[in-house]
Short mmCIF file of all heavy atoms in Angstrom, two decimals:
data_model
loop_
_atom_site.label_atom_id
_atom_site.label_comp_id
_atom_site.label_asym_id
_atom_site.label_seq_id
_atom_site.Cartn_x
_atom_site.Cartn_y
_atom_site.Cartn_z
N MET K 1 0.84 -1.18 0.00
CA MET K 1 0.00 0.00 0.00
C MET K 1 0.89 1.25 0.00
O MET K 1 1.85 1.35 0.75
CB MET K 1 -0.90 -0.02 1.23
CG MET K 1 -1.89 1.10 1.25
SD MET K 1 -3.15 0.79 2.48
CE MET K 1 -2.99 2.26 3.45
N ALA K 2 0.55 2.21 -0.85
CA ALA K 2 1.33 3.43 -0.98
C ALA K 2 1.08 4.36 0.21
O ALA K 2 -0.02 4.40 0.77
CB ALA K 2 0.97 4.15 -2.27
N ALA K 3 2.10 5.11 0.57
CA ALA K 3 1.96 6.10 1.64
C ALA K 3 1.12 7.27 1.14
O ALA K 3 1.16 7.61 -0.04
CB ALA K 3 3.33 6.58 2.08
N THR K 4 0.38 7.87 2.03
CA THR K 4 -0.45 9.02 1.67
C THR K 4 -0.14 10.19 2.60
O THR K 4 0.43 10.02 3.67
CB THR K 4 -1.96 8.69 1.76
OG1 THR K 4 -2.28 8.33 3.11
CG2 THR K 4 -2.34 7.58 0.81
N VAL K 5 -0.55 11.37 2.17
CA VAL K 5 -0.39 12.58 2.97
C VAL K 5 -1.59 13.49 2.70
O VAL K 5 -2.17 13.45 1.62
CB VAL K 5 0.94 13.29 2.64
CG1 VAL K 5 0.95 13.80 1.22
CG2 VAL K 5 1.24 14.40 3.62
N GLU K 6 -1.98 14.26 3.70
CA GLU K 6 -3.08 15.21 3.56
C GLU K 6 -2.48 16.59 3.31
O GLU K 6 -1.62 17.04 4.07
CB GLU K 6 -3.92 15.21 4.83
CG GLU K 6 -5.24 15.90 4.67
CD GLU K 6 -6.14 15.69 5.86
OE1 GLU K 6 -6.61 14.55 6.05
OE2 GLU K 6 -6.35 16.67 6.60
N ILE K 7 -2.93 17.25 2.23
CA ILE K 7 -2.36 18.53 1.83
C ILE K 7 -3.48 19.57 1.73
O ILE K 7 -4.51 19.31 1.12
CB ILE K 7 -1.63 18.39 0.47
CG1 ILE K 7 -0.50 17.38 0.61
CG2 ILE K 7 -1.10 19.74 0.01
CD1 ILE K 7 0.27 17.13 -0.66
N PRO K 8 -3.27 20.76 2.32
CA PRO K 8 -4.30 21.81 2.24
C PRO K 8 -4.32 22.47 0.86
O PRO K 8 -3.30 22.57 0.17
CB PRO K 8 -3.86 22.82 3.31
CG PRO K 8 -2.39 22.62 3.44
CD PRO K 8 -2.14 21.17 3.16
N LEU K 9 -5.52 22.93 0.47
CA LEU K 9 -5.71 23.70 -0.76
C LEU K 9 -5.77 25.18 -0.38
O LEU K 9 -6.46 25.55 0.57
CB LEU K 9 -7.00 23.29 -1.46
CG LEU K 9 -7.09 21.82 -1.87
CD1 LEU K 9 -8.47 21.52 -2.45
CD2 LEU K 9 -6.01 21.45 -2.85
N VAL K 10 -5.03 26.02 -1.10
CA VAL K 10 -4.94 27.44 -0.78
C VAL K 10 -5.43 28.25 -1.98
O VAL K 10 -4.89 28.12 -3.08
CB VAL K 10 -3.48 27.84 -0.44
CG1 VAL K 10 -3.39 29.32 -0.15
CG2 VAL K 10 -2.97 27.02 0.74
N GLY K 11 -6.46 29.06 -1.76
CA GLY K 11 -7.02 29.89 -2.82
C GLY K 11 -8.08 29.15 -3.61
O GLY K 11 -8.37 27.97 -3.38
N GLY K 12 -8.70 29.84 -4.54
CA GLY K 12 -9.73 29.23 -5.39
C GLY K 12 -10.97 28.83 -4.62
O GLY K 12 -11.16 29.17 -3.46
N SER K 13 -11.83 28.08 -5.28
CA SER K 13 -13.11 27.71 -4.69
C SER K 13 -12.99 26.70 -3.56
O SER K 13 -13.90 26.55 -2.76
CB SER K 13 -14.03 27.14 -5.78
OG SER K 13 -13.48 25.94 -6.29
N ALA K 14 -11.87 25.98 -3.48
CA ALA K 14 -11.69 24.95 -2.45
C ALA K 14 -10.77 25.42 -1.32
O ALA K 14 -10.29 24.60 -0.54
CB ALA K 14 -11.15 23.68 -3.09
N ASP K 15 -10.55 26.72 -1.22
CA ASP K 15 -9.66 27.25 -0.19
C ASP K 15 -10.03 26.73 1.20
O ASP K 15 -11.19 26.75 1.58
CB ASP K 15 -9.73 28.78 -0.20
CG ASP K 15 -8.72 29.41 0.74
OD1 ASP K 15 -7.55 28.99 0.71
OD2 ASP K 15 -9.11 30.33 1.49
N GLY K 16 -9.03 26.23 1.91
CA GLY K 16 -9.24 25.72 3.26
C GLY K 16 -9.54 24.23 3.33
O GLY K 16 -9.48 23.65 4.41
N GLN K 17 -9.87 23.63 2.21
CA GLN K 17 -10.11 22.18 2.20
C GLN K 17 -8.77 21.45 2.13
O GLN K 17 -7.73 22.04 1.87
CB GLN K 17 -10.97 21.79 1.00
CG GLN K 17 -12.37 22.37 1.04
CD GLN K 17 -13.19 21.93 -0.15
OE1 GLN K 17 -13.00 20.86 -0.71
NE2 GLN K 17 -14.14 22.77 -0.55
N HIS K 18 -8.81 20.14 2.42
CA HIS K 18 -7.62 19.29 2.34
C HIS K 18 -7.91 18.13 1.41
O HIS K 18 -9.05 17.69 1.31
CB HIS K 18 -7.26 18.74 3.73
CG HIS K 18 -6.73 19.77 4.67
ND1 HIS K 18 -7.53 20.71 5.27
CD2 HIS K 18 -5.47 20.00 5.11
CE1 HIS K 18 -6.79 21.48 6.05
NE2 HIS K 18 -5.53 21.07 5.97
N VAL K 19 -6.86 17.65 0.75
CA VAL K 19 -6.97 16.45 -0.09
C VAL K 19 -5.94 15.44 0.38
O VAL K 19 -4.87 15.80 0.86
CB VAL K 19 -6.77 16.75 -1.59
CG1 VAL K 19 -7.89 17.60 -2.12
CG2 VAL K 19 -5.44 17.41 -1.86
N THR K 20 -6.29 14.16 0.27
CA THR K 20 -5.37 13.08 0.61
C THR K 20 -4.82 12.52 -0.70
O THR K 20 -5.60 12.13 -1.57
CB THR K 20 -6.07 11.98 1.41
OG1 THR K 20 -6.61 12.57 2.60
CG2 THR K 20 -5.11 10.87 1.79
N VAL K 21 -3.51 12.52 -0.84
CA VAL K 21 -2.87 12.05 -2.07
C VAL K 21 -1.81 11.00 -1.75
O VAL K 21 -1.27 10.97 -0.65
CB VAL K 21 -2.22 13.22 -2.86
CG1 VAL K 21 -3.27 14.22 -3.31
CG2 VAL K 21 -1.15 13.91 -2.05
N GLU K 22 -1.53 10.15 -2.74
CA GLU K 22 -0.49 9.14 -2.59
C GLU K 22 0.87 9.76 -2.92
O GLU K 22 0.98 10.58 -3.82
CB GLU K 22 -0.75 7.96 -3.53
CG GLU K 22 -1.90 7.10 -3.12
CD GLU K 22 -2.03 5.85 -3.98
OE1 GLU K 22 -1.17 5.61 -4.85
OE2 GLU K 22 -3.01 5.13 -3.78
N LEU K 23 1.87 9.33 -2.18
CA LEU K 23 3.23 9.76 -2.44
C LEU K 23 3.88 8.84 -3.45
O LEU K 23 3.61 7.63 -3.47
CB LEU K 23 4.04 9.76 -1.14
CG LEU K 23 3.51 10.66 -0.02
CD1 LEU K 23 4.37 10.51 1.22
CD2 LEU K 23 3.45 12.11 -0.48
N ASP K 24 4.75 9.40 -4.29
CA ASP K 24 5.46 8.57 -5.27
C ASP K 24 6.60 7.80 -4.56
O ASP K 24 6.80 7.98 -3.34
CB ASP K 24 5.97 9.42 -6.44
CG ASP K 24 7.09 10.37 -6.09
OD1 ASP K 24 7.71 10.26 -5.01
OD2 ASP K 24 7.38 11.26 -6.92
N PRO K 25 7.33 6.96 -5.26
CA PRO K 25 8.40 6.18 -4.62
C PRO K 25 9.49 7.03 -3.96
O PRO K 25 10.21 6.56 -3.08
CB PRO K 25 8.99 5.37 -5.78
CG PRO K 25 7.86 5.24 -6.75
CD PRO K 25 7.11 6.53 -6.65
N ASN K 26 9.59 8.31 -4.36
CA ASN K 26 10.56 9.21 -3.75
C ASN K 26 9.99 10.02 -2.59
O ASN K 26 10.64 10.92 -2.07
CB ASN K 26 11.12 10.18 -4.81
CG ASN K 26 11.87 9.44 -5.89
OD1 ASN K 26 12.70 8.59 -5.60
ND2 ASN K 26 11.58 9.76 -7.13
N GLY K 27 8.74 9.71 -2.21
CA GLY K 27 8.11 10.40 -1.09
C GLY K 27 7.53 11.75 -1.42
O GLY K 27 7.33 12.58 -0.54
N ARG K 28 7.23 11.99 -2.70
CA ARG K 28 6.68 13.28 -3.13
C ARG K 28 5.24 13.12 -3.61
O ARG K 28 4.90 12.15 -4.25
CB ARG K 28 7.51 13.86 -4.27
CG ARG K 28 8.96 14.03 -3.97
CD ARG K 28 9.45 15.41 -3.75
NE ARG K 28 8.85 16.41 -4.59
CZ ARG K 28 8.65 17.65 -4.18
NH1 ARG K 28 8.97 18.00 -2.96
NH2 ARG K 28 8.12 18.54 -4.98
N PRO K 29 4.40 14.11 -3.34
CA PRO K 29 3.01 14.08 -3.85
C PRO K 29 2.97 14.50 -5.32
O PRO K 29 3.96 15.03 -5.84
CB PRO K 29 2.30 15.10 -2.96
CG PRO K 29 3.36 16.00 -2.46
CD PRO K 29 4.64 15.21 -2.43
N PRO K 30 1.83 14.31 -5.99
CA PRO K 30 1.70 14.77 -7.38
C PRO K 30 1.93 16.28 -7.48
O PRO K 30 1.64 17.03 -6.55
CB PRO K 30 0.24 14.44 -7.73
CG PRO K 30 -0.14 13.36 -6.77
CD PRO K 30 0.63 13.64 -5.52
N LEU K 31 2.42 16.74 -8.62
CA LEU K 31 2.74 18.15 -8.80
C LEU K 31 1.51 19.04 -8.92
O LEU K 31 1.57 20.23 -8.64
CB LEU K 31 3.62 18.34 -10.05
CG LEU K 31 5.01 17.71 -9.95
CD1 LEU K 31 5.76 17.89 -11.28
CD2 LEU K 31 5.79 18.30 -8.81
N THR K 32 0.39 18.46 -9.36
CA THR K 32 -0.84 19.24 -9.47
C THR K 32 -2.02 18.46 -8.90
O THR K 32 -1.99 17.24 -8.78
CB THR K 32 -1.16 19.60 -10.94
OG1 THR K 32 -1.33 18.40 -11.69
CG2 THR K 32 -0.08 20.47 -11.55
N HIS K 33 -3.07 19.22 -8.58
CA HIS K 33 -4.34 18.62 -8.16
C HIS K 33 -5.44 19.37 -8.90
O HIS K 33 -5.44 20.61 -8.95
CB HIS K 33 -4.53 18.77 -6.64
CG HIS K 33 -5.91 18.41 -6.19
ND1 HIS K 33 -6.34 17.11 -6.13
CD2 HIS K 33 -6.96 19.18 -5.83
CE1 HIS K 33 -7.60 17.09 -5.72
NE2 HIS K 33 -7.99 18.33 -5.53
N HIS K 34 -6.37 18.62 -9.48
CA HIS K 34 -7.51 19.22 -10.17
C HIS K 34 -8.73 19.04 -9.28
O HIS K 34 -9.18 17.92 -9.06
CB HIS K 34 -7.74 18.56 -11.53
CG HIS K 34 -6.64 18.84 -12.49
ND1 HIS K 34 -5.39 18.28 -12.38
CD2 HIS K 34 -6.60 19.66 -13.58
CE1 HIS K 34 -4.63 18.72 -13.37
NE2 HIS K 34 -5.33 19.56 -14.10
N HIS K 35 -9.23 20.14 -8.75
CA HIS K 35 -10.41 20.10 -7.87
C HIS K 35 -11.65 20.25 -8.73
O HIS K 35 -11.91 21.32 -9.30
CB HIS K 35 -10.33 21.20 -6.82
CG HIS K 35 -11.44 21.14 -5.84
ND1 HIS K 35 -11.49 20.21 -4.83
CD2 HIS K 35 -12.56 21.88 -5.73
CE1 HIS K 35 -12.59 20.39 -4.13
NE2 HIS K 35 -13.27 21.40 -4.67
N VAL K 36 -12.41 19.17 -8.85
CA VAL K 36 -13.58 19.14 -9.72
C VAL K 36 -14.78 19.70 -8.98
O VAL K 36 -15.12 19.25 -7.88
CB VAL K 36 -13.86 17.70 -10.20
CG1 VAL K 36 -15.09 17.66 -11.09
CG2 VAL K 36 -12.65 17.14 -10.92
N GLY K 37 -15.41 20.69 -9.58
CA GLY K 37 -16.61 21.29 -9.00
C GLY K 37 -17.86 20.81 -9.71
O GLY K 37 -17.85 19.77 -10.38
N SER K 38 -18.92 21.58 -9.61
CA SER K 38 -20.20 21.19 -10.18
C SER K 38 -20.17 21.15 -11.71
O SER K 38 -20.97 20.46 -12.32
CB SER K 38 -21.30 22.14 -9.71
OG SER K 38 -21.01 23.46 -10.12
N GLY K 39 -19.25 21.88 -12.34
CA GLY K 39 -19.16 21.91 -13.80
C GLY K 39 -18.33 20.78 -14.39
O GLY K 39 -18.11 20.74 -15.60
N GLY K 40 -17.84 19.88 -13.55
CA GLY K 40 -17.03 18.76 -14.03
C GLY K 40 -15.60 19.18 -14.32
O GLY K 40 -15.15 20.26 -13.95
N LEU K 41 -14.86 18.31 -15.00
CA LEU K 41 -13.45 18.56 -15.27
C LEU K 41 -13.21 19.81 -16.11
O LEU K 41 -12.18 20.47 -15.97
CB LEU K 41 -12.83 17.36 -15.99
CG LEU K 41 -12.02 16.40 -15.13
CD1 LEU K 41 -11.48 15.25 -15.97
CD2 LEU K 41 -10.93 17.07 -14.37
N ALA K 42 -14.16 20.14 -16.98
CA ALA K 42 -13.99 21.30 -17.85
C ALA K 42 -13.89 22.60 -17.05
O ALA K 42 -13.31 23.58 -17.52
CB ALA K 42 -15.14 21.39 -18.83
N GLU K 43 -14.43 22.62 -15.85
CA GLU K 43 -14.39 23.82 -15.02
C GLU K 43 -13.63 23.58 -13.71
O GLU K 43 -13.82 24.30 -12.73
CB GLU K 43 -15.81 24.30 -14.71
CG GLU K 43 -16.56 24.74 -15.95
CD GLU K 43 -17.98 25.18 -15.65
OE1 GLU K 43 -18.34 25.30 -14.46
OE2 GLU K 43 -18.73 25.38 -16.62
N ALA K 44 -12.75 22.61 -13.70
CA ALA K 44 -12.00 22.28 -12.49
C ALA K 44 -11.01 23.40 -12.14
O ALA K 44 -10.49 24.08 -13.01
CB ALA K 44 -11.24 20.97 -12.68
N ASP K 45 -10.78 23.58 -10.84
CA ASP K 45 -9.73 24.48 -10.39
C ASP K 45 -8.42 23.71 -10.38
O ASP K 45 -8.37 22.56 -9.93
CB ASP K 45 -10.01 25.00 -8.98
CG ASP K 45 -11.02 26.12 -8.95
OD1 ASP K 45 -11.21 26.78 -9.99
OD2 ASP K 45 -11.61 26.36 -7.88
N ILE K 46 -7.36 24.34 -10.88
CA ILE K 46 -6.06 23.69 -10.93
C ILE K 46 -5.19 24.23 -9.80
O ILE K 46 -5.03 25.45 -9.65
CB ILE K 46 -5.37 23.92 -12.28
CG1 ILE K 46 -6.23 23.34 -13.40
CG2 ILE K 46 -3.97 23.31 -12.29
CD1 ILE K 46 -5.76 23.67 -14.78
N TYR K 47 -4.65 23.32 -9.00
CA TYR K 47 -3.78 23.67 -7.89
C TYR K 47 -2.40 23.07 -8.15
O TYR K 47 -2.28 21.96 -8.65
CB TYR K 47 -4.33 23.10 -6.57
CG TYR K 47 -5.58 23.81 -6.11
CD1 TYR K 47 -6.83 23.48 -6.63
CD2 TYR K 47 -5.51 24.83 -5.17
CE1 TYR K 47 -7.97 24.14 -6.22
CE2 TYR K 47 -6.65 25.50 -4.74
CZ TYR K 47 -7.88 25.14 -5.27
OH TYR K 47 -9.00 25.80 -4.86
N GLU K 48 -1.36 23.82 -7.80
CA GLU K 48 0.02 23.40 -8.03
C GLU K 48 0.73 23.21 -6.69
O GLU K 48 0.58 24.03 -5.78
CB GLU K 48 0.73 24.48 -8.85
CG GLU K 48 2.11 24.11 -9.29
CD GLU K 48 2.67 25.20 -10.19
OE1 GLU K 48 3.18 26.21 -9.66
OE2 GLU K 48 2.56 25.04 -11.42
N LEU K 49 1.50 22.15 -6.59
CA LEU K 49 2.22 21.83 -5.36
C LEU K 49 3.23 22.92 -5.03
O LEU K 49 3.94 23.42 -5.89
CB LEU K 49 2.95 20.50 -5.52
CG LEU K 49 3.64 19.95 -4.27
CD1 LEU K 49 2.60 19.57 -3.22
CD2 LEU K 49 4.50 18.75 -4.64
N GLU K 50 3.26 23.28 -3.76
CA GLU K 50 4.21 24.28 -3.28
C GLU K 50 4.81 23.77 -1.97
O GLU K 50 4.09 23.28 -1.10
CB GLU K 50 3.47 25.59 -3.05
CG GLU K 50 4.33 26.76 -2.74
CD GLU K 50 3.50 28.03 -2.68
OE1 GLU K 50 3.12 28.54 -3.74
OE2 GLU K 50 3.23 28.50 -1.56
N SER K 51 6.11 23.86 -1.83
CA SER K 51 6.79 23.41 -0.62
C SER K 51 6.68 24.48 0.45
O SER K 51 6.99 25.65 0.21
CB SER K 51 8.26 23.11 -0.93
OG SER K 51 8.92 22.67 0.23
N ILE K 52 6.25 24.09 1.64
CA ILE K 52 6.20 25.00 2.78
C ILE K 52 7.48 24.86 3.59
O ILE K 52 8.10 25.82 3.98
CB ILE K 52 4.97 24.71 3.66
CG1 ILE K 52 3.70 24.99 2.87
CG2 ILE K 52 5.01 25.53 4.94
CD1 ILE K 52 2.44 24.55 3.57
N ASP K 53 7.87 23.60 3.85
CA ASP K 53 9.08 23.29 4.60
C ASP K 53 9.65 22.00 4.04
O ASP K 53 9.17 20.91 4.34
CB ASP K 53 8.76 23.14 6.08
CG ASP K 53 9.98 22.89 6.95
OD1 ASP K 53 11.06 22.54 6.40
OD2 ASP K 53 9.88 23.03 8.18
N ALA K 54 10.67 22.11 3.20
CA ALA K 54 11.22 20.95 2.50
C ALA K 54 11.76 19.91 3.47
O ALA K 54 11.59 18.71 3.25
CB ALA K 54 12.31 21.39 1.53
N GLN K 55 12.41 20.32 4.53
CA GLN K 55 12.99 19.36 5.47
C GLN K 55 11.91 18.58 6.22
O GLN K 55 12.07 17.41 6.52
CB GLN K 55 13.93 20.04 6.44
CG GLN K 55 15.21 20.52 5.78
CD GLN K 55 16.17 21.12 6.78
OE1 GLN K 55 15.86 21.28 7.95
NE2 GLN K 55 17.36 21.46 6.30
N ALA K 56 10.80 19.24 6.52
CA ALA K 56 9.71 18.59 7.25
C ALA K 56 8.71 17.94 6.31
O ALA K 56 7.71 17.38 6.76
CB ALA K 56 8.99 19.61 8.14
N GLN K 57 8.95 18.01 5.01
CA GLN K 57 8.05 17.47 3.99
C GLN K 57 6.63 17.98 4.19
O GLN K 57 5.68 17.22 4.28
CB GLN K 57 8.08 15.95 3.98
CG GLN K 57 9.40 15.39 3.49
CD GLN K 57 9.35 13.89 3.29
OE1 GLN K 57 8.59 13.19 3.95
NE2 GLN K 57 10.15 13.40 2.38
N GLN K 58 6.50 19.30 4.24
CA GLN K 58 5.20 19.94 4.35
C GLN K 58 4.93 20.70 3.06
O GLN K 58 5.77 21.46 2.58
CB GLN K 58 5.16 20.91 5.54
CG GLN K 58 5.27 20.20 6.87
CD GLN K 58 5.27 21.19 8.02
OE1 GLN K 58 5.55 22.36 7.85
NE2 GLN K 58 4.94 20.70 9.19
N TRP K 59 3.72 20.49 2.52
CA TRP K 59 3.35 21.10 1.25
C TRP K 59 1.95 21.71 1.34
O TRP K 59 1.17 21.41 2.24
CB TRP K 59 3.32 20.06 0.14
CG TRP K 59 4.58 19.30 -0.06
CD1 TRP K 59 5.68 19.72 -0.76
CD2 TRP K 59 4.88 17.99 0.40
NE1 TRP K 59 6.65 18.74 -0.75
CE2 TRP K 59 6.18 17.66 -0.04
CE3 TRP K 59 4.20 17.05 1.16
CZ2 TRP K 59 6.79 16.46 0.24
CZ3 TRP K 59 4.81 15.83 1.44
CH2 TRP K 59 6.10 15.56 0.98
N CYS K 60 1.63 22.53 0.32
CA CYS K 60 0.26 22.95 0.09
C CYS K 60 0.05 22.92 -1.42
O CYS K 60 1.01 22.89 -2.20
CB CYS K 60 -0.02 24.35 0.66
SG CYS K 60 0.72 25.71 -0.27
N TYR K 61 -1.20 22.89 -1.82
CA TYR K 61 -1.55 23.06 -3.23
C TYR K 61 -2.11 24.47 -3.37
O TYR K 61 -3.12 24.81 -2.75
CB TYR K 61 -2.60 22.04 -3.67
CG TYR K 61 -2.04 20.68 -3.99
CD1 TYR K 61 -2.40 19.57 -3.24
CD2 TYR K 61 -1.16 20.49 -5.05
CE1 TYR K 61 -1.92 18.30 -3.53
CE2 TYR K 61 -0.65 19.23 -5.35
CZ TYR K 61 -1.03 18.16 -4.58
OH TYR K 61 -0.53 16.91 -4.88
N ARG K 62 -1.44 25.33 -4.16
CA ARG K 62 -1.86 26.71 -4.35
C ARG K 62 -2.63 26.83 -5.66
O ARG K 62 -2.22 26.33 -6.69
CB ARG K 62 -0.66 27.65 -4.35
CG ARG K 62 -1.09 29.10 -4.40
CD ARG K 62 -0.04 30.07 -3.95
NE ARG K 62 0.60 29.77 -2.69
CZ ARG K 62 0.16 30.13 -1.49
NH1 ARG K 62 -0.98 30.77 -1.38
NH2 ARG K 62 0.85 29.86 -0.40
N TRP K 63 -3.77 27.55 -5.62
CA TRP K 63 -4.63 27.74 -6.77
C TRP K 63 -3.90 28.49 -7.87
O TRP K 63 -3.23 29.49 -7.64
CB TRP K 63 -5.87 28.52 -6.35
CG TRP K 63 -6.88 28.69 -7.43
CD1 TRP K 63 -7.68 27.74 -7.98
CD2 TRP K 63 -7.20 29.91 -8.10
NE1 TRP K 63 -8.49 28.29 -8.94
CE2 TRP K 63 -8.22 29.63 -9.03
CE3 TRP K 63 -6.75 31.21 -8.00
CZ2 TRP K 63 -8.77 30.59 -9.85
CZ3 TRP K 63 -7.29 32.17 -8.83
CH2 TRP K 63 -8.30 31.85 -9.74
N ARG K 64 -3.99 27.99 -9.11
CA ARG K 64 -3.35 28.62 -10.26
C ARG K 64 -4.34 29.10 -11.31
O ARG K 64 -4.00 29.86 -12.19
CB ARG K 64 -2.35 27.67 -10.91
CG ARG K 64 -1.17 27.34 -10.03
CD ARG K 64 -0.37 28.59 -9.74
NE ARG K 64 0.76 28.28 -8.90
CZ ARG K 64 1.21 29.07 -7.94
NH1 ARG K 64 0.64 30.21 -7.69
NH2 ARG K 64 2.26 28.71 -7.23
N GLY K 65 -5.57 28.61 -11.25
CA GLY K 65 -6.57 29.04 -12.23
C GLY K 65 -7.55 27.93 -12.52
O GLY K 65 -7.48 26.84 -11.96
N GLN K 66 -8.45 28.23 -13.43
CA GLN K 66 -9.47 27.27 -13.81
C GLN K 66 -9.10 26.61 -15.11
O GLN K 66 -8.52 27.24 -16.00
CB GLN K 66 -10.82 27.98 -13.94
CG GLN K 66 -11.99 27.12 -13.62
CD GLN K 66 -13.26 27.93 -13.62
OE1 GLN K 66 -13.44 28.85 -14.39
NE2 GLN K 66 -14.17 27.54 -12.76
N ALA K 67 -9.41 25.32 -15.23
CA ALA K 67 -9.18 24.60 -16.49
C ALA K 67 -10.07 25.19 -17.57
O ALA K 67 -11.18 25.62 -17.30
CB ALA K 67 -9.47 23.12 -16.31
N VAL K 68 -9.55 25.24 -18.77
CA VAL K 68 -10.37 25.78 -19.88
C VAL K 68 -10.38 24.81 -21.03
O VAL K 68 -9.53 24.01 -21.20
CB VAL K 68 -9.85 27.15 -20.38
CG1 VAL K 68 -10.18 28.20 -19.36
CG2 VAL K 68 -8.37 27.12 -20.65
#
């Protein structure tokens, strides 16, 4: 079973929510997260991984815009 981590979403429509993601073999989460809203994938908010504290392996997903 792959390791998981809970990462907060910052900005956009999902601000303040958290997502649980699987870590890759190097212990890193996916570089992006697509938060699907009522409009489906076509209107998803795109969040990009940002390091908060590299040594403590703390991250957030920061809002970058809406999928078009």
Side-chain angles (χ1 to χ4, degrees):
M1 185 166 124
T4 61
V5 65
E6 194 170 290
I7 299 179
L9 301 175
V10 178
S13 64
D15 186 46
Q17 295 181 29
H18 290 74
V19 293
T20 301
V21 297
E22 288 187 5
L23 301 177
D24 70 14
N26 297 313
R28 304 254 322 147
L31 295 176
T32 60
H33 170 74
H34 293 72
H35 184 75
V36 179
S38 60
L41 260 180
E43 295 179 9
D45 281 339
I46 299 172
Y47 289 82
E48 186 175 82
L49 186 67
E50 188 174 284
S51 180
I52 296 172
D53 183 345
Q55 290 184 355
Q57 292 188 332
Q58 294 178 339
W59 303 279
C60 74
Y61 280 116
R62 186 161 310 274
W63 184 70
R64 294 297 180 217
Q66 210 173 35
V68 287

